[in-house]
Amino acid sequence: MLFRSLTKTRPLAENAGISFIGTQKNGPFDMPGDLARQWLALPLNPNGRPNSDVVRPWANGMDITRRPSDTWIVDFGCELSEAEAALYEIPFAKVLNDVKPTREGLNREGHRKLWWRHGEARPGMRAALASLARYIATPRVAKHRLFVWLASNILPDCQVVVFASDSDVTFGILHSRLHELWSLRMGTSLEDRPRYTPTTCFETFPFPTNLQPEVSEAIAAASCRLVQLRDNWLNPAGASEAELKKRTLTNLYNQRPTWLANAHNELDAAVAAAYGWPADLSDDEILKRLLQLNLERSQPGDLG
């Protein structure tokens, strides 16, 4: 009955324009970090601009669930013309040689004619992230629903869902048990790996409103503590390369040591308090209450 009721949810106006699927490159725009750093050290281009304008770190879902791969990407954005892109001499040569041949026979006119740009460049996402120094990200498909911070210069792949927020409070709410339960029910799955979709998992989720300063501070503190403890575990001082390879977020959440469970419990209690709810509600009771909030806040006109 509850599962059927969840199909009545509607997108909430206040959640629009925040969550996005990352770019889809549609071609070999990527390169290893060592090569990218060589390009960044080259002299300025004929336009007087550095290669750092168009050569960026890149992240896909496995960069979140495993170890960062140090992959970089040529990114001419959404607006540069072919002539403007060509002024970035070495990056353009790579795309000309490696990407253009893969685009020439494509049926999609935009992919064929705008071969120097990514297939899905996500202008809306770029605009939403433009003013931020960091943003929240989660893998689209993963065994565990994990959220991380990414620096604003990192370009997310289409296997990453991003959230245009630099708020520790928003991060904490997203990484709480309440949002995890909602996303598991509102998303889809690929075998045993849940899939997160911005439209059903995020845009329908009723965030707590009218937060008092002490409530926001409690969520932010618990959120920061969780991230700091995880970072300490992922990258301990003096660890060997062999040891670091084993220290991934997936392995950490597979083990779920007591300190991690405690950190999440603290965060969950702070988020529950933001709704005015007890921390020990059952999964079904949490979902029923979230559904009721969604239905109260949404109007028929909210549907796109």
Side-chain angles (χ1 to χ4, degrees):
M1 181 66 71
L2 176 59
F3 182 79
R4 290 198 298 272
S5 296
L6 287 169
T7 63
K8 300 176 183 178
T9 58
R10 298 175 183 272
L12 302 176
E14 60 265 29
N15 290 6
I18 298 172
S19 182
F20 306 88
I21 291 173
T23 64
Q24 184 168 323
K25 54 188 179 179
N26 293 100
F29 289 86
D30 49 302
M31 73 200 77
D34 288 346
L35 178 59
R37 284 182 283 274
Q38 291 177 27
W39 289 4
L40 297 184
L42 292 174
L44 296 180
N45 288 287
N47 58 2
R49 299 295 305 171
N51 283 331
S52 57
D53 285 355
V54 297
V55 178
R56 306 175 57 179
W58 177 82
N60 65 10
M62 288 190 293
D63 287 295
I64 296 173
T65 60
R66 301 180 186 178
R67 303 289 301 182
S69 61
D70 191 28
T71 301
W72 290 56
I73 196 160
V74 177
D75 174 31
F76 291 121
C78 307
E79 299 179 356
L80 286 188
S81 67
E82 180 180 350
E84 290 168 329
L87 292 171
Y88 294 93
E89 193 170 9
I90 300 300
F92 182 81
K94 172 189 167 49
V95 176
L96 177 66
N97 293 328
D98 296 349
V99 177
K100 186 179 181 182
T102 71
R103 295 281 193 90
E104 289 177 340
L106 297 182
N107 291 327
R108 288 187 62 175
E109 183 178 14
H111 287 190
R112 189 175 66 253
K113 289 189 174 182
L114 302 175
W115 53 266
W116 63 95
R117 299 182 193 169
H118 296 178
E120 303 295 340
R122 310 293 189 212
M125 178 195 75
R126 293 170 186 267
L129 298 179
S131 63
L132 302 178
R134 64 177 184 174
Y135 61 88
I136 304 167
T138 190
R140 283 180 72 185
V141 180
K143 179 179 178 181
H144 305 287
R145 182 47 48 207
L146 305 168
F147 293 84
V148 300
W149 289 110
L150 293 180
S152 60
N153 66 322
I154 298 176
L155 186 71
D157 175 65
C158 61
Q159 290 306 315
V160 176
V161 177
V162 307
F163 307 85
S165 173
D166 59 1
S167 164
D168 291 310
V169 176
T170 300
F171 184 99
I173 295 169
L174 288 175
H175 219 328
S176 71
R177 173 180 170 228
L178 283 73
H179 182 67
E180 180 181 19
L181 289 170
W182 186 262
S183 66
L184 287 172
R185 292 296 182 92
M186 299 300 294
T188 57
S189 62
L190 183 63
E191 298 176 348
D192 64 340
R193 294 171 295 156
R195 185 192 304 272
Y196 192 102
T197 54
T199 51
T200 63
C201 298
F202 178 81
E203 292 181 9
T204 62
F205 181 73
F207 280 77
T209 57
N210 301 317
L211 297 184
Q212 296 301 309
E214 61 271 19
V215 174
S216 294
E217 290 167 8
I219 296 174
S223 171
C224 291
R225 177 165 172 76
L226 171 64
V227 171
Q228 185 61 61
L229 290 172
R230 289 193 325 196
D231 288 348
N232 291 346
W233 184 89
L234 288 168
N235 299 292
S240 66
E241 283 297 318
E243 176 63 29
L244 288 175
K245 285 181 180 179
K246 296 184 292 185
R247 289 181 178 253
T248 68
L249 281 178
T250 294
N251 287 342
L252 175 60
Y253 278 80
N254 282 342
Q255 300 167 22
R256 203 170 181 89
T258 301
W259 64 262
L260 180 64
N262 289 343
H264 272 285
N265 290 341
E266 181 181 351
L267 176 60
D268 293 342
V271 174
Y275 288 91
W277 301 346
D280 58 353
L281 292 176
S282 69
D283 291 357
D284 281 355
E285 182 61 27
I286 288 172
L287 289 170
K288 287 177 183 177
R289 294 185 182 208
L290 290 173
L291 172 61
Q292 184 61 36
L293 286 176
N294 173 277
L295 297 179
E296 289 173 357
R297 295 182 193 174
S298 61
Q299 298 295 327
D302 291 338
L303 285 173

